[in-house]
Amino acid sequence: MGIIKKKDVLYVASLARIKLADGQIEGFTGQLDSILDYIKQLDEVDTESVQPTSHVLPMVNVFRKDDVKPSLPQEKVLENAPGKEGYFFKVPKVIDGAEK
Amino acid sequence: MKYDIVIGLEVHLQLNTKTKIFCGCSTTFGNSPNSQTCPVCLGFPGVLPVFNKGVLDLSLRSALALGCTVSKFIKFDRKNYFYPDLPKNFQISQYDLPLAKDGLLEIDVEDGSRKRIRIRRVHMEEDAGKLVHEKEASLVDFNRCGTPLLEIVSEPDINSPEEAYRYLTALKEILRYLEVSDCNMEEGSLRCDANISLKPKGSEELGTKAEVKNVNSFKAVRGALSYEVQRQEELLSNSERVVQETRLWDPDKEVTVSMRSKEEAHDYRYFPEPDLVPFVITDKTIQEVRSALPELPQAKRARFIKEIGLSEYDAGVITSEKEMADYFEGCIKLYDKPKVVANWLMGDFTAALKEKGLESISQCEMDPADFIGMLKMIDDGSISGKMAKSILAEAIQEGKAPKDLVSAKGLTQISDKPQLEDLVGKAMEENGEVVEEYRRGKKGAIAYLVGQVMQKTKGKANPKLVNEILRKKLEG
Ligand SMILES: [Zn+2]
């Protein structure tokens, strides 16, 4: 029996805002389990003296100068928006009404 | 039962760079919705964020001024959550390798002593967009999205709502001195969330905390926290439980209310931002930034007291804004009476600025040389102190130099001795009886004679000089 349970799949799906049909849940449970199993092989490698990698490129300090560049025209910005009002994007009402 | 109050503050500061943190869009406040956006800050697929060097510079200044230890190696991480103000569905922030840690901020507490509040961490991140809630829908403006933020997190060392207020005041003072942000809470360039819990007096164990949001002034922070103290005290005294939750301050009713959202535990699934390489901060950079820091409010205050001789109160008022402190120093370079300068600045000058609706002395057109010129005119008797007050008010209101106003209005006092002696002589001639009265011992009669001279000059004679001359002539 794997470490991934049905409730884990449902939790991950809810974090990703994905609705799963009942039939799909079992399938994903097995798949996620086998992915974790595969990754688990890394546990066998001795990483004692290896620095954690935070980026795959051997580069640091890539900056840009604080110079203003032209933004997109507002019409372009909103061109593909499913909903708009004036120059605003329009989205379904956010219920808790609290801003981050 | 008595309780200890435990408060920690999280301050979000908008840095005043010209452009956003990861793209070249302008950060100007208040423009038409979505006019300052581009594929990067709109979260289009396939775009690459590039870090703004200006953000690092301002952040380093802030972290070092707050006494933090700056990390030599930093990176950005993705903080994942869904909210319409966040087009990428993640916020680029810093998680396990923040810019700086372990700072200190000293505040004056109510008993007059000083208290150190530890700063846990300082990190950089991007701001989210702005939502406008309508009846049926929410409207999104991404102009603010990607504006650089500095998050400054205190340790829970704050033990009263008043201390929280003073922490914020002291923090704002420093940040304004550093010129890294406008720190305007109404416009949202400084935002504050507060965590507050109570525990039985002396207990080591922390109580359950509530997080208070939606406070848009320092006074509101103090008010909201005072309300929370009272609310939590009541719950605990009745053996009820404080629920861990986010509460919003209602400034009209002066209460905090539960957000009542489905309080699922946040699971942000932080992971390193693969689109940004890490950053190395050298000792040399740290040294350079440190040596370029301006004198901070506390140091300036101490120097004004010790070296210039201001009282503690005056030094506090003069240094609370850097612009005012700079102006004061500009003045005393030209004029050797710091106490006189301080009194004018704190009194009539500040009143005149307010009258004109100016927020800072730096917006006023009168430079220290003009202002000191006016004070010197008082000293040499060309104008009276009373005249100076109205001249100053008008000069600031009209944006004119005091000396021009004085000459335009012919306000200059007559302090020319021979001219005044002449006038005094005439007044004595015309009022022989009064002169006699004085000489017979009715010393009060001199006032009448002074009045006569003033009348002859339409009030422009220097009354002090007139008095002197009269006395000499009468006694002589
Ligand atoms: Zn942009």
Side-chain angles (χ1 to χ4, degrees):
Chain A
M1 197 48 206
I3 45 170
I4 295 287
K5 302 277 186 295
K6 182 182 167 187
K7 70 168 178 22
D8 300 316
V9 172
L10 289 175
Y11 176 62
V12 172
S14 78
L15 283 178
R17 305 290 189 272
I18 293 171
K19 202 173 196 171
L20 295 180
D22 278 347
Q24 292 175 296
I25 298 169
E26 201 149 320
F28 280 122
T29 309
Q31 286 174 16
L32 286 177
D33 234 356
S34 63
I35 291 169
L36 282 185
D37 251 358
Y38 177 67
I39 299 291
K40 223 176 165 173
Q41 293 179 61
L42 289 174
D43 288 352
E44 292 160 24
V45 185
D46 178 13
T47 55
E48 197 60 32
S49 58
V50 180
Q51 282 283 323
T53 308
S54 41
H55 203 278
V56 291
L57 295 176
M59 273 170 95
V60 293
N61 296 11
V62 177
F63 291 111
R64 43 170 271 272
K65 274 171 74 182
D66 186 22
D67 292 334
V68 178
K69 294 270 155 62
S71 294
L72 280 181
Q74 280 160 297
E75 288 71 21
K76 268 264 178 271
V77 170
L78 293 153
E79 199 172 54
N80 299 322
K84 54 191 149 190
E85 191 174 308
Y87 286 121
F88 286 100
F89 289 96
K90 190 172 174 180
V91 298
K93 178 141 173 117
V94 190
I95 18 178
D96 68 15
E99 278 192 59
K100 281 298 294 178
Chain B
M1 191 189 281
K2 283 278 179 199
Y3 298 96
D4 284 331
I5 303 166
V6 181
I7 298 168
L9 295 179
E10 235 174 70
V11 168
H12 285 90
L13 186 74
Q14 272 183 356
L15 298 171
N16 58 12
T17 50
K18 293 200 286 291
T19 66
K20 296 187 178 181
I21 183 169
F22 300 120
C23 66
C25 290
S26 164
T27 52
T28 312
F29 180 79
N31 281 342
S32 173
N34 296 304
S35 60
Q36 288 157 203
T37 58
C38 73
V40 174
C41 57
L42 289 170
F44 281 29
V47 296
L48 262 191
V50 188
F51 186 38
N52 180 349
K53 177 73 164 47
V55 174
L56 182 64
D57 294 344
L58 298 185
S59 303
L60 274 177
R61 271 167 86 77
S62 312
L64 289 172
L66 293 171
C68 293
T69 306
V70 169
S71 311
K72 302 283 161 59
F73 184 88
I74 59 169
K75 68 173 171 74
F76 287 97
D77 301 277
R78 290 186 179 181
K79 177 182 182 178
N80 299 277
Y81 64 89
F82 286 96
Y83 208 69
D85 61 5
L86 195 70
K88 300 191 295 293
N89 294 335
F90 60 83
Q91 177 193 29
I92 304 180
S93 180
Q94 294 193 280
Y95 184 53
D96 57 335
L97 297 172
L99 175 70
K101 289 183 198 168
D102 303 328
L104 271 183
L105 183 67
E106 257 192 22
I107 59 168
D108 291 311
V109 282
E110 287 142 293
D111 67 6
S113 65
R114 298 187 69 72
K115 177 171 175 179
R116 299 178 134 195
I117 310 293
R118 290 170 300 158
I119 289 166
R120 180 183 297 167
R121 62 182 272 154
V122 172
H123 76 247
M124 301 170 288
E125 61 186 26
E126 57 179 344
D127 206 348
K130 206 163 172 46
L131 292 175
V132 181
H133 300 291
E134 293 202 318
K135 230 184 195 150
E136 303 294 330
S138 296
L139 305 178
V140 197
D141 171 12
F142 289 118
N143 282 353
R144 198 181 68 181
C145 188
T147 296
L149 291 182
L150 196 65
E151 180 170 326
I152 301 167
V153 185
S154 86
E155 293 287 352
D157 291 348
I158 299 164
N159 299 114
S160 72
E162 176 63 24
E163 281 182 24
Y165 179 82
R166 293 180 183 209
Y167 169 87
L168 291 171
T169 310
L171 185 63
K172 175 176 168 175
E173 235 173 61
I174 292 179
L175 296 165
R176 298 260 312 165
Y177 263 63
L178 296 171
E179 295 170 353
V180 297
S181 171
D182 305 335
C183 300
N184 185 332
M185 243 184 150
E186 278 82 26
E187 280 185 7
S189 58
L190 190 153
R191 282 165 255 158
C192 174
D193 299 334
N195 286 303
I196 174 165
S197 65
L198 301 186
K199 60 183 171 77
K201 217 163 188 60
S203 158
E204 290 293 310
E205 208 175 318
L206 289 174
T208 309
K209 66 184 178 188
E211 186 179 18
V212 183
K213 290 186 179 234
N214 197 36
V215 271
N216 65 357
S217 73
F218 290 176
K219 285 195 176 119
V221 173
R222 186 169 56 192
L225 288 171
S226 300
Y227 176 82
E228 270 304 298
V229 169
Q230 193 193 329
R231 184 185 72 90
Q232 295 188 15
E233 221 168 51
E234 245 170 67
L235 285 173
L236 295 172
S237 309
N238 295 329
S239 310
E240 283 176 80
R241 214 164 53 85
V242 174
V243 183
Q244 177 153 0
E245 63 179 351
T246 303
R247 300 180 65 87
L248 298 182
W249 172 242
D250 181 334
D252 298 326
K253 298 197 185 106
E254 299 194 339
V255 296
T256 65
V257 283
S258 171
M259 263 175 65
R260 287 187 209 292
S261 58
K262 289 169 279 163
E263 274 292 319
E264 44 189 273
H266 291 296
D267 186 348
Y268 292 127
R269 293 149 293 143
Y270 283 96
F271 63 85
E273 167 57 84
D275 288 341
L276 289 161
V277 297
F279 295 85
V280 171
I281 300 166
T282 62
D283 288 329
K284 185 169 161 278
T285 305
I286 293 173
Q287 212 38 57
E288 277 167 13
V289 176
R290 200 193 298 278
S291 59
L293 286 180
E295 184 181 33
L296 295 175
Q298 270 173 34
K300 205 181 270 291
R301 208 160 291 157
R303 182 167 62 81
F304 281 9
I305 294 169
K306 222 175 133 194
E307 289 174 22
I308 300 177
L310 289 189
S311 71
E312 205 163 305
Y313 175 81
D314 291 356
V317 177
I318 294 286
T319 58
S320 66
E321 287 279 341
K322 182 171 185 286
E323 289 88 346
M324 181 61 90
D326 288 347
Y327 198 93
F328 172 76
E329 291 206 272
C331 289
I332 60 169
K333 269 191 202 125
L334 307 168
Y335 188 66
D336 196 23
K337 295 178 185 164
K339 178 67 193 161
V340 173
V341 173
N343 281 343
W344 275 95
L345 289 181
M346 295 187 300
D348 291 273
F349 209 121
T350 300
L353 291 175
K354 215 179 212 170
E355 179 71 29
K356 174 136 178 142
L358 299 179
E359 279 168 26
S360 153
I361 198 166
S362 61
Q363 295 168 303
C364 152
E365 287 170 55
M366 193 189 314
D367 62 19
D370 284 338
F371 172 56
I372 291 306
M374 188 193 80
L375 296 189
K376 285 183 176 165
M377 283 162 99
I378 305 176
D379 290 352
D380 69 17
S382 333
I383 54 172
S384 68
K386 208 173 147 196
M387 281 173 178
K389 279 172 189 271
S390 65
I391 290 165
L392 180 71
E394 195 175 336
I396 290 173
Q397 190 64 36
E398 310 282 330
K400 288 182 181 150
K403 65 170 186 309
D404 296 341
L405 281 178
V406 169
S407 49
K409 298 185 171 220
L411 280 176
T412 321
Q413 271 193 144
I414 301 171
S415 299
D416 180 53
K417 247 191 172 160
Q419 194 187 346
L420 288 179
E421 271 168 2
D422 209 43
L423 289 165
V424 166
K426 267 191 198 138
M428 282 171 68
E429 249 170 59
E430 288 163 15
N431 299 281
E433 296 151 45
V434 186
V435 172
E436 278 311 303
E437 269 178 46
Y438 180 90
R439 289 187 172 145
R440 279 201 302 270
K442 200 177 160 199
K443 300 289 176 200
I446 196 169
Y448 180 79
L449 295 169
V450 174
Q452 290 303 301
V453 177
M454 296 310 280
Q455 213 170 44
K456 284 183 198 296
T457 58
K458 297 201 175 68
K460 283 194 274 181
N462 179 338
K464 221 172 103 201
L465 264 179
V466 172
N467 242 301
E468 260 172 45
I469 294 168
L470 255 173
R471 214 171 286 274
K472 221 186 254 169
K473 283 196 188 242
L474 289 168
E475 308 281 339

